Amino acid sequence: MAPAFEAQGGAPPPQAEPVQEQAAAAASQNNAHFSNYESKVTIVGSGNWGSVASKLIASNTLRLSSFHDEVRMWVFEEILPSGEKLTDVINSTNENVKYLPGIKLGKNVVADPDLENAVKDANMLVFVTPHQFMEGICRKLVGKINGDVQAISLIKGMEVKMEGPCMISSLISEQLGINCCVLMGANIANEIATEKFSEATVGYRENREIAEKWVQLFSTPYFLVTAVQDVEGVELCGTLKNVVALAAGFVDGLEMGNNTKAAIMRIGLREMKAFSKLLFSSVKDTTFFESCGVADLITTCLGGRNRKVAEAFAKNGGKRSFDKLEAEMLQGQKLQGVSTAREVYEVLGHRGWLELFPLFATVHEICIGRLPPSAIVEHSERKPRFELLDGSTQYC
Ligand SMILES: NC(=O)c1ccc[n+]([C@@H]2O[C@H](COP(=O)([O-])OP(=O)(O)OC[C@H]3O[C@@H](n4cnc5c(N)ncnc54)[C@H](O)[C@@H]3O)[C@@H](O)[C@H]2O)c1
C-alpha cells in the first residue's frame, strides 16, 4: 500500500501500515481454511444499527450452508424500566425492545452480555458500536479471539491519536492483529429494519474472496451490497458525512431552504473527498459515487439523527448543548457527528489545514459555541485555499 501522506512532504504517515499488512498477510494464509468450513458469526454491538445488522445476518446464516446458524450478539447490558435485563428480554422475545422495538431479529440470534464469551468461538466478527467505545472493547478482546478471525466494521468515526488519525478498522487491525473490512452505505437502520430497499458498500484491502464472503453474509433482496477495494475511502465517507449532516441540520433549523442545503451538501462532499485523499493517497474517486459516498451523504442530510439534532440546536440559537439535546431526543442512541467534527478539527489544526476545510472547521466551531449556527453559510462559502498544498488540483 502506498504511503498516504505525499502532500505534506516528510510528515509521518497517519496510520501504522505495517501492522495492517501483517494482518492482511495472516488473513490470506488463513483464507483457504476460512472458506472451507461453516463460519461462526458474532456481532459486537446491539444498538439500532447493530440490531438491524443482526436481523440481516441471521436470515442469511439460516439460509446459507457455509455459515453456522447461530448468531451471537454481544449486548452492553442495561436494566430496563421494567427491572428486566435487556439481554433476557432479547432472548425471550427475540426483539431488542430498547433500540429496535417491534422488529423480530431471528430466533437464531442469541444475546450475550459477556464479551469474552460472545466472541470465543467466532471466526467472523462484526463490530457495530458507537465509535467512542471501540478502544475499550478492543483492549478487552486482546488475546481473547481465535487466530483465524476475520472482522468487519460498520462503525462510523475515527480516533485521533498523537501520531495522527486512526480509522476504526485500523484500530481493530492494530490492536487485535486481524484483517478488518468495512461496510458503509445509505443505511438509516429503521428503514432497513422494515425491509425497504437500499444499498451498501463493503470496502476491502486485498482479499476479494473474503470481501465476497461478507457480501454474502449481508446481502438480501432488499439490501444490495457491492465490494470495492478501498477500505479507507469507504470508511472515511461513512465517517465524514456525519459532519456534513450537522451542517445540513443547521441550515434546516435556520429555515434557509433547499438550495442552501444542496450547496452545503456539495461543499461538504468536496471537503470529504479532499480530506480523504490528503490522508490516504490510495482513496479512489469512484468510491464517492458508491452507496457509501454520495448516497449516504444524501440520506444522512435528509433523514439522519445528526441532521435532526443539529436542526434543534440551530432552532434554539445554539443555547441548548448537543449533550442535552442528544439525551432528550435520542433515547440512549448516540450522535457521532459532534465527536467526529471535533476529531476532524483536531487533525486540521494539527496539520495546518484549517483554511482548506471551511465547512468542517465551521461545524465544529458552531458545535462548541464559538460561532453562531448562521456562520454555516458565511464561513462555508469561503474558497478553500488548496494552493497552500503542492499539486492542489488532485484534492478538489
Ligand atoms: N443507526 C443507524 O441508522 C446507523 C446506520 C449506519 C451506521 N451506524 C453506525 O453504527 C454504529 C453503532 O450505532 P447504533 O445505531 O447501532 O447504536 P445506537 O446509537 O443506537 O446505540 C448505542 C449503543 O451503545 C451501547 N453502549 C452504551 N454505553 C456503552 C458502553 N459504555 N460501552 C459499549 N457500548 C455502550 C448501547 O447499549 C447501545 O447498544 C455507529 O458507529 C453508527 O454511526 C448507525
Side-chain angles (χ1 to χ4, degrees):
M1 178 98 14
F5 211 85
E6 283 154 9
Q8 294 277 296
Q15 308 244 347
E17 293 280 323
V19 182
Q20 291 170 6
E21 278 164 16
Q22 282 165 19
S28 66
Q29 272 178 10
N30 287 327
N31 189 32
H33 181 49
F34 181 74
S35 53
N36 285 338
Y37 67 116
E38 274 189 4
S39 299
K40 236 180 151 192
V41 184
T42 289
I43 300 166
V44 177
S46 55
N48 189 225
W49 184 219
S51 301
V52 176
S54 78
K55 176 183 188 272
L56 291 167
I57 289 171
S59 69
N60 282 328
T61 59
L62 280 185
R63 193 176 60 82
L64 299 167
S65 59
S66 50
F67 297 96
H68 196 283
D69 286 358
E70 182 185 287
V71 176
R72 289 252 146 197
M73 178 170 76
W74 173 67
V75 175
F76 179 76
E77 190 65 285
E78 293 179 52
I79 305 298
L80 298 171
S82 62
E84 296 164 292
K85 288 181 177 165
L86 179 58
T87 42
D88 290 343
V89 176
I90 295 175
N91 286 331
S92 60
T93 63
N94 205 228
E95 214 176 294
N96 187 339
V97 290
K98 172 147 187 197
Y99 293 100
L100 192 65
I103 302 289
K104 295 290 176 201
L105 303 181
K107 288 202 166 64
N108 49 330
V109 175
V110 177
D112 189 338
D114 180 338
L115 181 61
E116 210 177 301
N117 190 57
V119 301
K120 78 174 188 317
D121 298 323
N123 63 323
M124 292 181 85
L125 291 180
V126 177
F127 289 96
V128 54
T129 69
H131 77 282
Q132 57 269 39
F133 304 130
M134 267 315 291
E135 201 152 18
I137 289 172
C138 281
R139 230 177 287 124
K140 287 188 193 138
L141 287 179
V142 172
K144 302 288 180 345
I145 53 176
N146 289 331
D148 61 350
V149 162
Q150 289 291 328
I152 195 163
S153 168
L154 278 50
I155 299 167
K156 296 175 172 174
M158 61 168 95
E159 294 277 326
V160 179
K161 298 175 178 292
M162 289 288 280
E163 58 278 16
C166 178
M167 302 312 295
I168 300 300
S169 66
S170 303
L171 181 85
I172 294 167
S173 281
E174 286 168 22
Q175 295 213 0
L176 304 178
I178 55 178
N179 182 48
C180 189
C181 293
V182 295
L183 181 142
M184 308 276 147
N187 302 145
I188 291 182
N190 289 330
E191 295 177 18
I192 299 164
T194 53
E195 307 194 357
K196 295 192 175 112
F197 174 76
S198 71
E199 299 179 307
T201 316
V202 162
Y204 68 98
R205 210 166 283 292
E206 269 139 31
N207 196 321
R208 177 88 203 177
E209 203 179 329
I210 286 168
E212 290 298 346
K213 186 116 184 178
W214 288 117
V215 168
Q216 266 188 353
L217 185 66
F218 282 93
S219 295
T220 69
Y222 61 89
F223 193 66
L224 214 70
V225 186
T226 18
V228 300
Q229 191 175 11
D230 184 5
V231 173
E232 283 82 13
V234 172
E235 195 168 6
L236 275 160
C237 279
T239 297
L240 297 171
K241 58 93 202 200
N242 281 335
V243 181
V244 186
L246 292 175
F250 297 146
V251 167
D252 284 345
L254 297 166
E255 296 179 6
M256 299 182 93
N258 292 331
N259 292 341
T260 308
K261 189 159 156 184
I264 288 296
M265 287 163 67
R266 187 197 72 82
I267 295 167
L269 183 61
R270 185 179 65 189
E271 292 197 9
M272 283 166 58
K273 181 166 156 245
F275 186 82
S276 304
K277 295 186 79 141
L278 269 172
L279 283 185
F280 297 95
S281 58
S282 59
V283 167
K284 295 174 179 161
D285 286 354
T286 49
T287 300
F288 295 86
F289 293 97
E290 298 291 342
S291 177
C292 63
V294 67
D296 194 11
L297 179 71
I298 292 170
T299 198
T300 311
C301 289
L302 299 185
R305 60 178 91 150
N306 288 283
R307 187 218 64 81
K308 183 169 136 185
V309 179
E311 179 183 37
F313 181 86
K315 279 205 160 101
N316 284 288
K319 302 249 174 354
R320 312 206 60 216
S321 74
F322 272 101
D323 282 347
K324 278 208 178 99
L325 292 168
E326 178 186 67
E328 277 171 24
M329 297 174 71
L330 297 184
Q331 286 85 40
Q333 294 187 346
K334 299 286 175 206
L335 270 186
Q336 300 291 289
V338 176
S339 49
T340 303
R342 186 190 64 241
E343 287 150 359
V344 167
Y345 193 89
E346 275 177 46
V347 176
L348 299 181
H350 193 242
R351 297 185 185 236
W353 294 348
L354 280 166
E355 286 188 62
L356 303 181
F357 296 92
L359 184 136
F360 285 170
T362 305
V363 167
H364 173 67
E365 296 197 353
I366 294 171
C367 289
I368 59 169
R370 198 179 287 159
L371 289 173
S374 58
I376 196 61
V377 282
E378 293 146 22
H379 289 243
S380 299
E381 72 190 11
R382 286 185 191 156
K383 209 168 163 359
R385 298 187 55 209
F386 283 114
E387 69 276 12
L388 296 174
L389 299 171
D390 292 336
S392 57
T393 49
Q394 64 179 299
Y395 305 107
C396 313

